[in-house]
Amino acid sequence: MINEKRLIEQFLRLTAIDAPSGEESAMRAYLTGALAHLGISAEADGAGNLFARLPGTCAGDALLFSAHMDTVSPGRGKHAVRHPDGRITSDGTTVLGADDAAGIAAILEALTVLRESALPHPDIELLFTAEEERFCQGSARFDYTLLRAKTAYVLDLTGPVGTAAVAAPTILSLDIAVRGRAAHAGFAPEDGINALSIAAEALAKLKTGRVAPDTTVNFGTVEGGTGRNIVPDRIRIAGEVRSLRHEAALHEAHAIEDAFRRAAEKLGGVSEVGVTEDLRAYRIAQNEPVVTHLRSALAALGWGEPALVETFGGSDNNQFVRHGLRGLVLASAMEHVHTTEEYTHIPELARSAALVLQLMTMEGAI
């Protein structure tokens, strides 16, 4: 029932809209109009999210479908290019924006079929979020008392359609400040306390990369110093910890704090490790209703079993689960995201829309 031509035209319109994180107004206006055309009233909140509800026409618990409106950089002036093999890419100078225009397009096409065919459905709630690419700031500020749904499907994952993420990590951002004492590096280096040496002492004690099968640590940037002939008195390091176990992430952060404290004490300086929790880990059990519903939808389409995976990327689903929903992140026909090689594949995009429609309309809803 999916109209592939209409779906692709919708996708191309969406990717043509500039929507860097924090600048989603044009995308929000377009979606408000697209939903109004379907008879669905949507409202924006103070965080820039767009929320709508389609009242049900049959029994069944409410379902939430979500995708984010923003894109990563470089994402201004995007130009989509169709290829003979069914791929759609950018012109190579920007991202395509399939992350997350593919998810939005699939939801809009499913809603269009649902309305034009008068298909029975339970209450359907829609949340198009702002600033997802900034650690889900939009969904973090959403008013969850507005929701009736307890189950969510978030279209924001790479991989073949039918793949769903059942676990995602805690992400902790690290902001490390090390202070020593400046001195002339040629005339009086002994009068200085080298902040870089303190940082090196601490980092030498720490393991980075994949420190456990479900945990990673990285130090990504180092800034500091004022000249090659001056003992550096200030160093700043930015890093992160990710783990599918929240307690493991906290443990690594504490170990990092301890290593920098000990190094500073040893060499006579001071260190401060700021830790910000960007996202909280979650795990959805394979026998939960949200997974069972997905299994039934895929079986009804004749597509077999879902591929249930863990992901080391965060999404709005981290926020949804933290606020009491049980959600899955669905693969939504986007590949090589966050790069200028990003692409979607037309048959997969059509499959994504078909799956969303099946989830929205299947009998025996959750």
Side-chain angles (χ1 to χ4, degrees):
M1 300 175 70
I2 297 301
N3 184 324
E4 186 176 286
K5 181 176 183 294
R6 180 176 60 199
L7 172 63
I8 299 310
E9 290 173 350
Q10 182 73 270
F11 175 79
L12 295 175
R13 285 193 293 269
L14 290 165
T15 57
I17 300 171
D18 287 347
S21 291
E23 301 177 37
E24 299 92 350
S25 59
M27 180 66 79
R28 189 164 49 247
Y30 176 82
L31 291 176
T32 300
L35 292 171
H37 182 72
L38 295 172
I40 303 171
S41 177
E43 292 188 5
D45 65 10
N49 304 302
L50 190 65
F51 175 66
R53 180 182 294 112
L54 181 60
T57 60
C58 69
D61 294 332
L63 298 172
L64 174 66
F65 293 85
S66 182
H68 64 85
M69 295 182 286
D70 58 323
T71 62
V72 297
S73 296
R76 298 183 190 275
K78 303 185 298 297
H79 296 285
V81 179
R82 293 186 63 170
H83 298 268
D85 63 0
R87 289 181 306 126
I88 302 177
T89 70
S90 73
D91 63 7
T93 63
T94 68
V95 297
L96 172 62
D99 179 12
D100 199 16
I104 296 173
I107 292 172
L108 291 178
E109 174 61 19
L111 290 171
T112 302
V113 174
L114 184 151
R115 297 295 264 177
E116 68 186 9
S117 301
L119 299 174
H121 60 85
D123 283 358
I124 294 173
E125 295 180 323
L126 309 167
L127 182 57
F128 298 104
T129 59
E131 297 189 84
E132 190 274 346
E133 299 292 2
R134 294 178 174 173
F135 293 111
C136 309
Q137 291 186 28
S139 58
R141 300 195 298 272
F142 180 68
D143 180 3
Y144 286 87
T145 64
L146 296 173
L147 295 179
R148 298 173 186 169
K150 299 298 182 184
T151 300
Y153 291 103
V154 180
L155 281 85
D156 192 17
L157 187 69
T158 62
V161 171
T163 303
V166 295
T170 286
I171 302 178
L172 305 178
S173 290
L174 307 174
D175 184 9
I176 305 168
V178 181
R179 297 194 301 276
R181 185 170 61 240
H184 194 288
F187 291 106
E190 60 277 353
D191 292 340
I193 298 174
N194 193 313
L196 185 57
S197 295
I198 296 172
E201 174 83 12
L203 292 172
K205 304 291 185 183
L206 295 168
K207 185 178 179 181
T208 60
R210 194 170 301 281
V211 301
D214 60 0
T215 306
T216 62
V217 174
N218 186 62
F219 300 101
T221 65
V222 180
E223 300 176 347
T226 56
R228 70 174 67 186
N229 61 343
I230 301 172
V231 175
D233 63 338
R234 294 179 183 270
I235 294 293
R236 195 167 213 100
I237 301 171
E240 68 164 31
V241 177
R242 298 189 184 213
S243 182
L244 295 174
R245 293 174 293 127
H246 182 66
E247 297 75 13
L250 295 178
H251 174 79
E252 291 298 329
H254 291 154
I256 291 166
E257 290 180 278
D258 188 60
F260 275 89
R261 178 185 59 79
R262 289 176 180 272
E265 290 176 351
K266 177 180 176 180
L267 298 178
V270 177
S271 71
E272 296 177 359
V273 179
V275 180
T276 301
E277 181 183 314
D278 296 309
L279 295 172
R280 178 74 64 92
Y282 70 86
R283 182 173 295 276
I284 303 297
Q286 296 192 16
N287 61 353
E288 292 192 44
V290 65
V291 180
T292 301
H293 189 61
L294 174 63
R295 281 199 174 98
S296 297
L298 290 170
L301 291 166
W303 295 355
E305 283 289 308
L308 302 178
V309 301
E310 299 172 344
T311 176
F312 268 82
S315 76
D316 288 318
N317 200 44
N318 287 73
Q319 296 292 352
F320 296 167
V321 173
R322 191 167 187 179
H323 286 85
L325 285 83
R326 306 304 288 170
L328 297 176
V329 189
L330 303 181
S332 51
M334 56 182 191
E335 301 293 343
H336 292 185
V337 298
H338 293 202
T339 76
T340 56
E341 287 76 43
E342 181 186 12
Y343 70 92
T344 191
H345 193 239
I346 291 173
E348 280 291 278
L349 188 54
R351 283 168 63 88
S352 178
L355 177 56
V356 173
L357 179 63
Q358 186 67 35
L359 290 167
M360 287 180 173
T361 60
M362 189 169 55
E363 292 185 8
I366 297 172

